[in-house]
Amino acid sequence: MNFTILDRYPDRETDERWSEFLANAEMATHYTTPDFFNDPFVRGGERFAILVTGTNNRIEAVLTGVDDGRVIESGMAVRPQTAFRKGTNIDEAAKTLASALTKKSGEHGELVRFYSWAAIDKIEEFGFANQSATGGDRIIMLDLSEGADKIFKGFSQTRRNEIRKAIKHGELEIKELETAAELNELYAIHLDWNMRKGTEPDVRDDFEFAFAQKDHRKVIIAKFEGKVIASSYYRFCTGGVVEYAANNSLVEFQKLRPNDLIAWRSIEWACRSGFSH
């Protein structure tokens, strides 16, 4: 296998091959798509992507990341940015990725760190240490092929009761963020949420850009008496993985369980839309 390292959005021919790969990849996510180069929330260095190719220049694996000149970082334990084609030789593809990362790091690199959904059994042979996520670095993964009904039955009794109660009362409207007015209300909640948490809010321009990025992002809100009171943000790759990214909500409306109902309606949407996880 061979590799190509990109430092910008690909040309049309590469974009088409990349799209074909994503349609046939295991665990494809938003940050393994070419739109990684356009995402406003990617920070920490210069962006890059590695495309591993095999026979007939077919893409077999993709890895994206950032390079700050010393450290190369590809994703997080809770957000891998590596994808492999279904049925590919993962060991061979991983060896090629390791060679590409070593070349990218060069003589001045101090650390290369990347994450994968699947274990790479022979990664030590390629010069990397291997560690599985534990504790807070582990995530909850839902197999959406089971369908919404079976997933719902797997919830705790308390969770099921809270969702049923919220649906029965009918006080909340759960919908996709659609209008400029809703965006204004939501951004005010975002500012309030970050002030309470003591964290830096996203700037308005980035917030609006993400709202407009319909091909790889969805914002689902809860409204009470016509007022936006909560929202969850999702990243996704069509046919692949939907990732819960964040939530903002107003404290005074928590008793209505808006976040529970947003999460459930989001799972129903993901199942209907043919996502894998």
Side-chain angles (χ1 to χ4, degrees):
M1 294 183 181
N2 301 308
F3 64 81
T4 302
I5 301 176
L6 304 179
D7 61 4
R8 59 178 61 87
Y9 196 95
D11 58 41
R12 182 173 180 178
E13 184 271 335
T14 304
D15 191 12
E16 290 175 353
R17 290 193 297 115
W18 197 333
S19 294
E20 185 278 333
F21 162 78
L22 292 169
N24 295 281
E26 295 278 5
M27 308 300 290
T29 64
H30 169 39
Y31 282 164
T32 59
T33 73
D35 274 342
F36 170 76
F37 286 105
N38 297 328
D39 193 280
F41 302 110
V42 176
R43 301 180 178 94
E46 296 296 323
R47 306 177 195 200
F48 70 92
I50 298 172
L51 309 183
V52 173
T53 54
T55 306
N56 297 324
N57 209 28
R58 189 179 78 165
I59 296 176
E60 300 293 329
V62 167
L63 177 149
T64 65
V66 293
D67 181 358
D68 70 1
R70 298 186 306 106
V71 176
I72 288 178
E73 194 88 43
S74 173
M76 304 166 60
V78 296
R79 193 195 67 215
Q81 292 174 207
T82 308
F84 296 94
R85 180 181 289 273
K86 296 174 183 176
T88 198
N89 184 324
I90 291 182
D91 286 340
E92 186 177 352
K95 180 179 180 180
T96 308
L97 282 175
S99 297
L101 287 167
T102 300
K103 180 177 179 179
K104 183 77 177 67
S105 179
E107 297 180 359
H108 305 292
E110 299 176 8
L111 177 67
V112 174
R113 183 163 42 216
F114 78 99
Y115 301 87
S116 171
W117 295 108
I120 302 174
D121 295 332
K122 298 182 179 181
I123 195 66
E124 293 92 347
E125 297 178 13
F126 314 144
F128 285 80
N130 188 20
Q131 184 176 355
S132 297
T134 59
D137 283 338
R138 302 182 69 187
I139 65 171
I140 295 171
M141 179 73 72
L142 297 179
D143 180 357
L144 299 180
S145 68
E146 295 184 342
D149 290 342
K150 187 173 181 180
I151 291 172
F152 187 83
K153 291 176 182 177
F155 294 163
S156 69
Q157 185 65 55
T158 299
R159 184 72 64 192
R160 295 199 301 271
N161 289 343
E162 293 292 355
I163 293 171
R164 289 185 178 121
K165 188 188 305 180
I167 293 173
K168 182 178 180 180
H169 287 175
E171 297 175 295
L172 298 177
E173 178 188 8
I174 308 298
K175 64 187 293 289
E176 185 174 357
L177 181 68
E178 294 178 300
T179 69
E182 290 171 342
L183 180 64
N184 288 336
E185 290 186 70
L186 182 55
Y187 191 65
I189 295 173
H190 177 72
L191 294 176
D192 173 75
W193 188 92
N194 279 277
M195 183 177 67
R196 287 188 281 111
K197 298 293 183 179
T199 54
E200 192 71 22
D202 295 312
V203 299
R204 177 61 185 251
D205 286 350
D206 288 351
F207 206 79
E208 291 183 357
F209 184 92
F211 164 63
Q213 203 175 34
K214 303 293 188 182
D215 289 342
H216 294 289
R217 288 186 182 274
K218 183 178 282 287
V219 182
I220 298 180
I221 60 175
K223 300 180 79 171
F224 175 67
E225 296 180 348
K227 173 185 175 68
V228 178
I229 63 169
S231 176
S232 288
Y233 311 89
Y234 299 91
R235 298 185 303 266
F236 62 86
C237 177
T238 301
V241 179
V242 179
E243 298 173 279
Y244 166 84
N247 172 274
N248 295 145
S249 56
L250 294 173
V251 174
E252 59 267 34
F253 293 99
Q254 291 305 300
K255 62 182 181 296
L256 299 176
R257 313 303 295 186
N259 295 326
D260 296 71
L261 197 50
I262 287 175
W264 171 237
R265 293 308 190 200
S266 300
I267 291 169
E268 289 184 310
W269 158 73
C271 287
R272 288 195 309 270
S273 301
F275 292 101
S276 66
H277 294 80

